[in-house]
Amino acid sequence: MNNINERSEGNATLPNKPLPVIRYCLYARKSMEDEERQALSIDSQLKEMKQIAERDNLYVVTMRTEAHSAKNSGQRPVFNQMIEELRSGKFNAILTWNPDRLSRNAGDLGVLVDLMDSHLLVEIRTYNQKFSNSPNEKFLLMILGSQAKLENDNKSINVKRGIRNKCEMGWRPGVAPLGYMNRAFAGINDIILDPDRSELIIEAFQKAGYERWSGRRIKAWLDEQGFTNRSGKPISVSQILVILSTPFYYGKFQYPEAPDAPWYTGAHKPLISKE
């Protein structure tokens, strides 16, 4: 006997196809980058989404979580796995906190829309919205995804502008070289001398420049003085050679460290002269 329910229409007998069961994958993502400090934690996203699933009687078949940036397409292992599972039919819908959890780039957003067009992804549900395979809802999804990408691009531009302004003010981004310390005081980040290391760095330059000491001899002498890196370990000969060839110690730095990158005059106190 045929298991397909049938209905009669005129003289024809047509199959009465049941609506497909919507099977959800709950997806939560949190980037470790500063740009997403305001996003809910993964645990908070899971808690909120589980409450929505219970409230709306949603059929969640699996959960996927990852801590990864969504700036670039195809770079998230768990997201890529979820896409393959959608294509294989393991589930056909996604439950997530916000559209920007799924994508902050055009490539991944396009993949999701293509899956909708192929009827492999029948619904994306967030905490306050639902997107199905209808022109208006897909268009709204693409707008929200594009907005997330725009915000991401603007943040990147602002970060680069902030770094450039800091360099122009004479403050090198990142961790200061040995002999100096990073200091954050009253909202100002600057670089000051390390009282425990700066004098020994000066002496190391003098021994190399005036007395022609080798890197190995300088290392032996620094070890005798109890000189260590910030981890409390003696520095290697290669680290000494890096120190002796770093312009930062005479007041100049390049950022980023690339052949065509600009040079800046540091606002920090030089330990040695360029000569």
Side-chain angles (χ1 to χ4, degrees), residues 21-27 59 61-62 82 86 90-96 120-125 131:
V21 176
I22 301 180
R23 304 179 305 282
Y24 290 88
C25 170
L26 197 163
Y27 177 81
Y59 181 32
V61 298
T62 189
M82 181 176 68
L86 278 165
K90 183 173 183 179
F91 41 82
N92 57 5
I94 300 173
L95 176 62
T96 192
L120 296 173
L121 175 59
V122 299
E123 184 177 285
I124 295 175
R125 186 177 291 223
F131 308 94

Side-chain angles (χ1 to χ4, degrees), residues 63-257:
M63 293 189 299
R64 297 285 182 264
T65 65
E66 66 182 330
H68 205 291
S69 172
K71 288 191 300 185
N72 300 315
S73 63
Q75 301 299 309
R76 288 174 288 161
V78 176
F79 178 84
N80 293 340
Q81 177 188 359
M82 181 176 68
I83 294 300
E84 291 305 314
E85 289 172 333
L86 278 165
R87 288 175 174 145
S88 68
K90 183 173 183 179
F91 41 82
N92 57 5
I94 300 173
L95 176 62
T96 192
W97 171 250
N98 203 50
D100 66 5
R101 298 303 86 204
L102 293 175
S103 174
R104 284 180 173 269
N105 66 82
D108 290 339
L109 178 60
V111 169
L112 293 171
V113 173
D114 285 344
L115 286 170
M116 282 185 162
D117 289 340
S118 303
H119 305 288
L120 296 173
L121 175 59
V122 299
E123 184 177 285
I124 295 175
R125 186 177 291 223
T126 69
Y127 76 100
N128 67 349
Q129 289 174 302
K130 183 174 70 171
F131 308 94
S132 61
N133 188 25
S134 73
N136 289 339
E137 292 184 9
K138 283 191 295 186
F139 182 62
L140 178 58
L141 175 64
M142 294 176 70
I143 288 177
L144 294 175
S146 298
Q147 181 181 8
K149 175 171 170 46
L150 177 62
E151 292 173 355
N152 192 75
D153 290 345
N154 284 336
K155 286 174 183 176
S156 177
I157 291 172
N158 291 335
V159 167
K160 290 178 181 178
R161 182 185 298 118
I163 289 175
R164 185 171 62 252
N165 289 341
K166 183 175 181 179
C167 289
E168 290 172 351
M169 293 171 62
W171 301 117
R172 176 183 177 273
V175 179
L178 283 179
Y180 291 92
M181 299 170 60
N182 295 90
R183 179 181 66 170
F185 177 72
I188 299 175
N189 296 315
D190 60 3
I191 297 174
I192 61 174
L193 296 179
D194 183 342
D196 298 326
R197 296 183 176 90
S198 58
E199 291 299 326
L200 290 174
I201 292 288
I202 293 173
E203 288 190 54
F205 272 103
Q206 291 172 342
K207 293 181 183 301
Y210 296 139
E211 303 177 41
R212 303 302 181 187
W213 279 25
S214 67
R216 292 187 180 278
R217 188 174 180 185
I218 292 175
K219 171 177 169 51
W221 171 74
L222 287 174
D223 288 346
E224 291 174 0
Q225 309 305 311
F227 188 92
T228 63
N229 60 23
R230 293 187 180 92
S231 300
K233 298 179 181 179
I235 63 174
S236 64
V237 174
S238 62
Q239 288 175 306
I240 291 172
L241 297 179
V242 168
I243 290 173
L244 295 177
S245 60
T246 299
F248 187 88
Y249 292 101
Y250 67 74
K252 298 285 186 179
F253 67 91
Q254 190 180 29
Y255 193 87
E257 295 183 1

